[in-house]
Amino acid sequence: MKRTSRDIRTANRYDVLRQIIAESPVSRQEVAAATGLSLATVANLVGELLDLGMLTEVGFEDSDGGRPRGLVAVNAPGGALIGVDVAETYIHVELFDLALTVLARADEELRPGENRPDQVVTHIADAVESVVRRSGLPGDRVLGVGVSMPGQVDREGGVSVYAPNWDWHDVPLLDLLAGRLPYPLHLDNPLRACTVAELWFGAARGHDDVVVVNLGTGVGAGLALGGSLHRGITNSAGEWGHTTLVLDGRLCHCGNHGCVETYVGAPGIMQNLRELSPGSTLLHPDDQTATVAALAAAVAAGDPVAVRTVRQTARYLGAAVADLVNLLNPEIIVLSSWVAAALGEPLLAEVREAVGRHALRRPMDATEIVLSPIPSDPVSLGAATFALKGALGSVGRRNPHDDRRKDRRKTQQQNTPGNARTAGRTRSARRTTARTTRSTPS
């Protein structure tokens, strides 16, 4: 689809705010240099964001004799964003301020078989209502809710097109949620959410060609190519977990055999363990999380069965990641989500070794493979940025899933921090502002 001037302005507004959130406090000139936009465009967009209460003026930077440059910073209390991580076994929700600092969290467990659309919607709504209540913020401060839904989604229509692990087809998820939640709603999937989180706050910052490997119950690869999030023509790019790793291999939920996901997703890891040691006490047949946690603890203790299971999993994962290296030639590959976090360095070391055996030397030498450094849930963090972008794009128009929400006053109370960031602060001192999200216990 051809982008309109409004689309371009929304994208520029988003890029400017993203840069300011990451670098606060910062001058307009620095934002222009970082984004490639003209100073006049940046000044105009900063003015809009100040009017919306998303930014605040915080003084001036040091001058070498010229005119001092004014500094702006994100106005953290100027609004709230909610990120929803819907997974196959749980729903995790976080509420953030505009600096993307966590203010409240809530979790809902999805028991086996508890995956009908009405059940999932109820859990999402309950968790969202819980974080708003725990934060103590009035509901009209919430600028939007970003929902990350596994599988293929139609983000414009708010539809879960296909969720293979639940056998969902064309579920109008946001329409169902609109009957329960009075906030603007925005939908995408965890591959995009993890990738955005890494680009903003994680290992992918400063890189243009990035792959974020999402290891959970399901498996996928979020892509940022040439500095931009790569979605594909139907927002389906990154379904690497459903590429064939073993011909005529294990049956996958998608209906094919031998998919990557069936060997390196949490159920696949359980099967690896079962095949190596059918009676292992590490295996919790009905609990993926407990099995992976037991494996991680046993590897740390040097248990031979656990070590062999992780090594076998890494052999499969390394071969599949080598395909990504050869195909995409990325600067960095980030292992993300809860399975990668649980198995940590032992898995990473084995994967690096396995990739080295399968990938071509030239692209492999240029690719760094790391664990995600984001301390909080990267999916809910990335989902909150969906809501942020939606809020910026909805300036002057109504969100299609927001018919039940009353008009919210645009003016936000600005938080001017006195002389805390005024003249006399050095560039290095300003750069001590946190580069990653800071989690505040709820």
Side-chain angles (χ1 to χ4, degrees), residues 140 142 182-184 398 402-409:
D140 63 1
V142 176
Y183 311 116
R398 190 174 59 188
D402 188 30
D403 292 335
R404 298 179 65 250
R405 185 170 62 94
K406 295 181 180 179
D407 291 337
R408 186 178 63 245
R409 290 162 53 188

Side-chain angles (χ1 to χ4, degrees), residues 253-268:
H253 286 288
C254 72
N256 292 328
H257 288 264
C259 291
V260 170
E261 181 173 297
T262 65
Y263 292 88
V264 303

Side-chain angles (χ1 to χ4, degrees), residues 82 124-134 180-183:
I82 296 175
I124 294 173
D126 288 348
V128 168
E129 290 165 355
S130 176
V131 293
V132 174
R133 184 172 61 253
R134 292 180 187 184
R180 294 287 306 272
L181 296 173
Y183 311 116

